[in-house]
Amino acid sequence: MQKFILLVIIYSIFSLHLYAQENKIHPDSLEKYSFKDLIEKYNSHKNPNPKKAKVYLNEMLLKASVLEQRVTSLLTASRHETFYGSTEKAFAYVDSAISLLKNKRNTSKMGKAYERKGFIFYYKKKDYKTALKFYLKASKIAEKNNDTLLMITVEHKIAALYFMINNKKVALQKYLTLYGETYNKEEIPYPIKISIIKSLSNAYFKKYSLDSSVKKLLDSSRLFGQQGLKLAFAEKNKKDITYFTTLLGIASYTNKDYGDALSYLSKAKNTASEIGLKERLKSVYHYKGMVFLAQKTPDSAIYYFKKNAVHLADTSKLFTFPNTYALLSESYEQQNNLKEALKYAQLAVTYTNNTYSKRASLQHTLDTKYDLPKLKEKSRQLQDELTQASHTKKFWIVLAFVLVLILIASFVFFKRRERLNKKNFEQTLKSLSELEEKVTLPKNTVSTHVSEAQTETILNALEHFEQSTLFVNPDCTLRFLAQELATNTTYLSKIINTHKKQSYTEYLVSLRISHALKRLKNEKRFRAYSIASIALECGFKSAKSFSRAFKKKTGIYPSYYIKNIKAEMISD
């Protein structure tokens, strides 16, 4: 075992020596740092740049000369490998520390080594039973040595175990007890305080996720998140500032406080970008996308989801947000871009299939809203909608083409009608002028069985009748006119049929329309009348019968005639 540990240390030193050269950290420049300086250098770089931090860690391992320094450097190296390296190396370093402390089994250092080994089993192996075994060993040593900080650390780790085995009630009680024992105590180091607040805020949020009807759980999560943020600002710890602004952004989104959510998430993005926390940015991008999707701002949602979509190319690793493709599909659907929505729905199905086949044990981590059957159904629905949209598009194109043809045909029709109306108007005026001239009717040689003298008498009487306005009388029937002309209806009807080439009704209507034409041409005031009033003035019972008769005689409607007469009067 000791040979293996030695080989691990030699390999690590050699690798870090190469890294130091590549990053222009000359090994000789590290010699000037004391062991304490190297610890400070390591702590300042471990989060933003773990590889660079390991250069200083390597020098710590080399420079450690006394037992306490050697144990400290080995436990630090074990922690580093737990988070940024291999499980084997993490165990190798901590076992090496325990081996060095075999003669000091009841010291706080041994307690810290047991706590470290328990954490590796908890974090890397998910072996909670073995983790608890080492935590209890550490706790016993902490109590024996009255080491308050170690007792708090171990109790915190045990609370996390309760949380992981779904006994969240006990976990929360322990977290709250630890919070009360540490928050306002100046002697408690910042890392211990902040880690407890993180656990509290996170525990309340996760408990709320399981029972969203209890609103106070979310309120408690936000309350402890704000306290943690205040503490992080006081310490000027940008990593923790990023953690709490992200957590508060997520909590605000969950509470539908979208303005606060965007504010916190934007601050988290700025700080994470500044210190190079790429993993944190993934959460920020995801929840900013979720906020914009909830606000129905699909363009912005797509922008942030696409920043995370690049991580889905590698299906050998389960991405933190495996529903990103499905969310992109939903965003594009909200944008009414069904083609892109279908594309990402199909990508979601493919990604989920690949992820399930390669990491079946992690199925439960996928968002249930985007499980495989629903993804396939969504893909089918989008395909149907896209097909329907295509048919609808073709329909509208055909309809638009037909409408254009109708418009063209209508334009041609109205132009032709306009020309015809104009021609009829001009012809009407010409006919009107001819009517106003005295025209001598030739004698009709057709026999009417009426004496020539009687015929001449009736024709002369009709001429006087035409010069009068008696025909506008609504009661001007054939019988009425025969009485007025002192003749009978038979003779009068035969004379009108033979000499006027019209029936009595046609003759009467013709006189009335000619009368209307004259008055409309010559009387400005008469032109201002309504069509109904003009009709009554000319002997018609309704505007409809007048307009129909007017159109039949002239080929145009009264309104057109009046409009053009007015135009001629203005031009004259």
Side-chain angles (χ1 to χ4, degrees):
M1 182 66 182
Q2 288 181 338
K3 287 182 179 180
F4 173 73
I5 294 169
L6 183 60
L7 286 172
V8 167
I9 294 172
I10 291 170
Y11 172 77
S12 299
I13 292 170
F14 177 72
S15 300
L16 269 297
H17 180 76
L18 290 177
Y19 177 84
Q21 288 183 328
E22 289 171 3
N23 288 272
K24 298 180 181 179
I25 305 174
H26 199 278
D28 292 341
S29 66
L30 298 173
E31 303 245 344
K32 64 182 178 182
Y33 295 118
S34 67
F35 187 83
K36 184 179 179 182
D37 293 335
L38 289 169
I39 291 175
E40 290 177 359
K41 284 284 182 183
Y42 170 79
N43 287 333
S44 65
H45 289 94
K46 65 182 179 183
N47 292 319
N49 194 341
K51 286 187 177 180
K52 189 173 183 180
K54 200 167 182 181
V55 174
Y56 296 106
L57 176 58
N58 172 59
E59 190 65 20
M60 283 169 59
L61 290 165
L62 289 173
K63 192 161 280 190
S65 56
V66 298
L67 179 64
E68 185 175 351
Q69 290 178 347
R70 290 170 67 189
V71 171
T72 298
S73 60
L74 286 168
L75 292 179
T76 304
S78 178
R79 179 197 178 280
H80 190 93
E81 292 296 332
T82 302
F83 289 109
Y84 308 114
S86 73
T87 304
E88 291 75 14
K89 288 182 182 179
F91 275 123
Y93 282 123
V94 76
D95 284 339
S96 182
I98 290 170
S99 180
L100 287 174
L101 292 167
K102 61 184 176 181
N103 295 323
K104 297 182 179 289
R105 291 192 176 276
N106 291 321
T107 62
S108 289
K109 279 290 183 184
M110 180 62 88
K112 289 177 183 177
Y114 285 145
E115 178 269 321
R116 174 56 46 197
K117 190 165 184 177
F119 184 74
I120 301 170
F121 277 107
Y122 163 83
Y123 186 76
K124 301 292 277 189
K125 293 286 191 179
K126 310 302 180 192
D127 183 349
Y128 304 137
K129 186 175 180 180
T130 307
L132 180 60
K133 172 185 167 184
F134 281 100
Y135 287 158
L136 292 174
K137 282 186 177 184
S139 179
K140 187 176 180 180
I141 292 173
E143 287 179 13
K144 189 171 184 178
N145 289 280
N146 199 26
D147 189 332
T148 304
L149 297 182
L150 181 57
M151 281 192 287
I152 290 170
T153 301
V154 173
E155 191 66 17
H156 186 192
K157 295 291 196 309
I158 291 173
L161 277 177
Y162 275 108
F163 195 84
M164 290 305 296
I165 61 172
N166 285 325
N167 195 337
K168 293 180 173 54
K169 185 176 181 180
V170 173
L172 272 172
Q173 288 173 347
K174 286 183 173 294
Y175 286 145
L176 286 168
T177 301
L178 289 167
Y179 172 79
E181 292 173 354
T182 60
Y183 186 68
N184 289 318
K185 306 290 173 54
E186 291 184 5
E187 66 273 17
I188 305 297
Y190 168 80
I192 292 177
K193 287 181 182 179
I194 207 72
S195 64
I196 292 169
I197 295 174
K198 283 181 183 179
S199 296
L200 258 176
S201 184
N202 190 48
Y204 273 116
F205 184 79
K206 287 188 175 179
K207 195 170 182 185
Y208 174 77
S209 301
L210 298 172
D211 187 4
S212 57
S213 63
V214 186
K215 177 74 165 42
K216 66 180 182 180
L217 293 173
L218 183 61
D219 294 338
S220 296
S221 176
R222 296 173 78 178
L223 173 66
F224 286 110
Q226 287 161 355
Q227 287 189 0
L229 184 60
K230 182 180 177 182
L231 194 61
F233 269 119
E235 191 70 17
K236 297 180 181 178
N237 188 307
K238 291 183 178 180
K239 183 187 176 186
D240 290 336
I241 289 170
T242 305
Y243 176 90
F244 284 109
T245 47
T246 303
L247 186 143
L248 287 166
I250 295 169
S252 297
Y253 159 75
T254 305
N255 201 42
K256 297 183 179 181
D257 296 331
Y258 298 133
D260 287 348
L262 287 176
S263 176
Y264 280 123
L265 291 169
S266 294
K267 290 173 184 176
K269 176 181 173 293
N270 293 338
T271 312
S273 299
E274 182 185 343
I275 60 177
L277 284 179
K278 294 180 180 179
E279 288 301 313
R280 182 66 62 203
L281 285 172
K282 294 173 185 176
S283 296
V284 172
Y285 294 151
H286 176 80
Y287 281 100
K288 286 197 93 170
M290 294 295 284
V291 171
F292 286 119
L293 187 62
Q295 290 182 318
K296 299 192 183 304
T297 315
D299 291 352
S300 297
I302 290 166
Y303 173 79
Y304 285 105
F305 289 141
K306 277 193 170 181
K307 283 183 171 290
N308 273 346
V310 295
H311 302 293
L312 297 175
D314 183 6
T315 56
S316 64
K317 298 177 181 177
L318 183 65
F319 183 52
T320 312
F321 305 105
N323 58 347
T324 300
Y325 281 146
L327 289 168
L328 272 167
S329 176
E330 191 175 336
S331 301
Y332 275 115
E333 188 179 4
Q334 198 177 89
Q335 198 185 54
N336 289 323
N337 187 339
L338 295 181
K339 187 176 179 181
E340 288 296 303
L342 176 61
K343 169 187 166 183
Y344 281 102
Q346 291 170 339
L347 281 172
V349 171
T350 302
Y351 177 79
T352 307
N353 268 325
N354 291 338
T355 305
Y356 280 2
S357 62
K358 292 179 181 180
R359 302 178 73 106
S361 62
L362 296 177
Q363 275 191 31
H364 67 280
T365 62
L366 290 166
D367 194 317
T368 54
K369 185 179 179 183
Y370 302 106
D371 64 345
L372 196 56
K374 288 183 180 179
L375 284 172
K376 287 181 177 178
E377 176 61 20
K378 188 65 177 176
S379 181
R380 187 194 63 75
Q381 287 176 1
L382 286 169
Q383 182 67 68
D384 291 345
E385 286 180 31
L386 196 59
T387 302
Q388 181 61 37
S390 177
H391 292 159
T392 303
K393 184 178 179 182
K394 288 177 183 176
F395 168 77
W396 284 112
I397 289 172
V398 171
L399 182 61
F401 180 72
V402 171
L403 287 173
V404 168
L405 289 179
I406 291 172
L407 286 172
I408 292 171
S410 300
F411 178 77
V412 171
F413 170 77
F414 284 115
K415 277 293 180 184
R416 288 185 63 188
R417 193 177 75 169
E418 181 68 23
R419 286 196 298 270
L420 183 61
N421 284 342
K422 188 175 182 182
K423 181 180 177 181
N424 288 333
F425 173 73
E426 291 171 352
Q427 185 63 43
T428 300
L429 288 180
K430 185 179 177 182
S431 300
L432 191 59
S433 298
E434 290 173 353
L435 282 172
E436 289 173 347
E437 296 176 5
K438 185 70 176 177
V439 180
T440 303
L441 293 171
K443 273 191 176 183
N444 198 305
T445 57
V446 179
S447 175
T448 59
H449 303 290
V450 181
S451 68
E452 190 174 330
Q454 286 177 318
T455 299
E456 187 71 27
T457 300
I458 292 171
L459 285 173
N460 288 334
L462 284 174
E463 188 175 341
H464 284 99
F465 171 69
E466 290 168 4
Q467 297 302 318
S468 73
T469 57
L470 189 61
F471 52 78
V472 300
N473 185 338
D475 298 322
C476 188
T477 61
L478 180 64
R479 183 180 296 278
F480 173 83
L481 183 57
Q483 290 176 353
E484 286 290 320
L485 301 183
T487 185
N488 61 59
T489 57
T490 303
Y491 285 178
L492 181 59
S493 178
K494 284 183 178 182
I495 295 298
I496 290 173
N497 291 341
T498 303
H499 291 273
K500 300 297 181 179
K501 308 295 183 185
Q502 295 170 309
S503 68
Y504 176 73
T505 301
E506 289 171 341
Y507 172 65
L508 188 64
V509 167
S510 179
L511 288 175
R512 288 172 174 176
I513 294 300
S514 295
H515 177 72
L517 288 169
K518 290 176 189 176
R519 286 194 67 184
L520 288 170
K521 180 183 177 184
N522 299 323
E523 298 178 26
K524 181 179 179 181
R525 185 177 179 184
F526 194 57
R527 289 194 294 272
Y529 284 13
S530 67
I531 299 297
S533 297
I534 294 170
L536 291 173
E537 284 281 321
C538 295
F540 292 92
K541 292 182 178 179
S542 68
K544 186 177 180 180
S545 61
F546 169 65
S547 295
R548 186 167 57 244
F550 196 100
K551 177 76 165 59
K552 183 177 181 181
K553 180 174 176 64
T554 64
I556 56 178
Y557 284 104
S559 56
Y560 183 87
Y561 179 76
I562 294 167
K563 183 181 75 172
N564 281 272
I565 285 290
K566 286 180 179 178
E568 282 209 350
M569 293 299 175
I570 292 170
S571 63
D572 289 345

